Amino acid sequence: MSIESIESIETIDAIRSIAFFAGLSQEDVSLIAGFTQPKRYSANELIFGEGDAATAFYWVRSGRVQVYKIGPDGKEMILHLFAAGDTFAEFPIFGGEATYPANALCLEDTTVLRIDGPAFRALAETRPAMLLKMLSQFSLRLREFNQRIEDLSLRNVDARLAKYLLSVSENTPARAAITVQKKTLAAILATIPETLSRSFRKLSQKGMIEMQGHEVIILNRDGLLRLAEGP
């Protein structure tokens, strides 16, 4: 079997695992594979920049991608972090926007599937059932954004940090691995590194967590939950 055939099979298998495409027919998956390409990027390499022509959306096969904007004051505002299994940049494609509204940066060596935007839109226009299946996934993403806006506007930094630690320790209740730099985590939580460090110290002093290198040992999960859900 040729390398091209192997890559084609791997691409089809990957497309089947994309949540947006769950339940699609073999024919639909094969058609999508026809305009999908695997792409590899190095750490700190931009996939696209704000204002670039919106020509594709992406699915992360491995690695991590940070989507962010630069504010008028020059500060970086992180909108989302995407890891293996996540899709991103679909909103400009599905919404018919001409350019990307933010930047996408690889935080480490990353492999993605690049799904051609115009080709996908042309296919979707002939497959209304495909669009209906995708609506539920869009609804989930919108709820996530609404929750993030609520967190940033109604909760203090301590509560935001508590919620973050709970979210990254769902599969390891006693440990929360911090896989991003402190300045990146601070940007995610809409604060500055100094304030974030104070919040870590507060949670440690209250006996909720203990720091061990890049891991946080969770000593009082119920206390974190009360803090995260509080005002």
Side-chain angles (χ1 to χ4, degrees):
M1 184 179 293
S2 68
I3 294 176
E4 290 78 8
S5 297
I6 294 173
E7 288 184 345
S8 178
I9 292 172
E10 290 178 347
T11 297
I12 288 175
D13 289 342
I15 290 171
R16 289 184 186 282
S17 69
I18 298 176
F20 280 137
F21 300 147
L24 295 187
S25 68
Q26 174 64 38
E27 180 185 6
D28 286 342
V29 171
S30 296
L31 289 170
I32 293 170
F35 48 77
T36 298
Q37 289 181 304
K39 301 279 288 184
R40 293 176 177 83
Y41 295 90
S42 301
N44 298 316
E45 185 175 357
L46 272 178
I47 296 177
F48 56 78
E50 182 175 357
D52 287 351
T55 56
F57 65 103
Y58 301 83
W59 178 77
V60 183
R61 175 174 278 173
S62 64
R64 288 182 300 152
V65 177
Q66 172 181 295
V67 173
Y68 67 98
K69 289 177 72 73
I70 301 297
D73 56 359
K75 291 184 179 179
E76 183 179 284
M77 179 174 63
I78 296 176
L79 304 178
H80 215 296
L81 291 178
F82 296 100
D86 293 332
T87 53
F88 65 96
E90 64 273 29
F91 286 116
I93 299 302
F94 300 156
E97 297 179 25
T99 61
Y100 293 113
N103 310 280
L105 176 73
C106 296
L107 296 179
E108 56 193 59
D109 291 348
T110 298
T111 302
V112 301
L113 288 185
R114 180 190 184 279
I115 304 168
D116 185 82
F120 179 80
R121 283 175 59 89
L123 175 65
E125 287 172 1
T126 67
R127 299 287 201 280
M130 177 192 296
L131 297 178
L132 288 174
K133 289 176 182 177
M134 296 170 67
L135 280 177
S136 62
Q137 295 298 322
F138 274 115
S139 297
L140 289 174
R141 185 66 61 83
L142 286 173
R143 281 200 291 272
E144 290 176 2
F145 278 118
N146 287 337
Q147 183 62 57
R148 176 166 168 74
I149 292 171
E150 179 181 323
D151 289 344
L152 295 179
S153 60
L154 299 179
R155 290 178 171 83
N156 60 32
V157 177
D158 294 351
R160 291 178 223 158
L161 175 58
K163 187 169 184 177
Y164 177 84
L165 294 175
L166 290 169
S167 70
V168 298
S169 64
E170 289 179 342
N171 298 323
T172 54
R175 293 177 179 271
I178 306 299
T179 60
V180 294
Q181 295 180 348
K182 181 178 290 185
K183 67 176 184 178
T184 300
L185 179 55
I188 292 172
L189 300 180
T191 186
I192 58 175
E194 293 77 12
T195 301
L196 178 62
S197 295
R198 286 197 292 270
S199 289
F200 270 115
R201 285 197 296 272
K202 287 180 187 177
L203 298 190
S204 296
Q205 291 166 357
K206 291 178 180 179
M208 294 184 182
I209 64 172
E210 178 182 313
M211 301 298 298
Q212 287 189 3
H214 293 294
E215 279 196 329
V216 176
I217 307 302
I218 296 178
L219 304 175
N220 185 350
R221 195 171 184 87
D222 288 340
L224 285 179
L225 184 60
R226 287 192 295 272
L227 178 59
E229 293 181 344

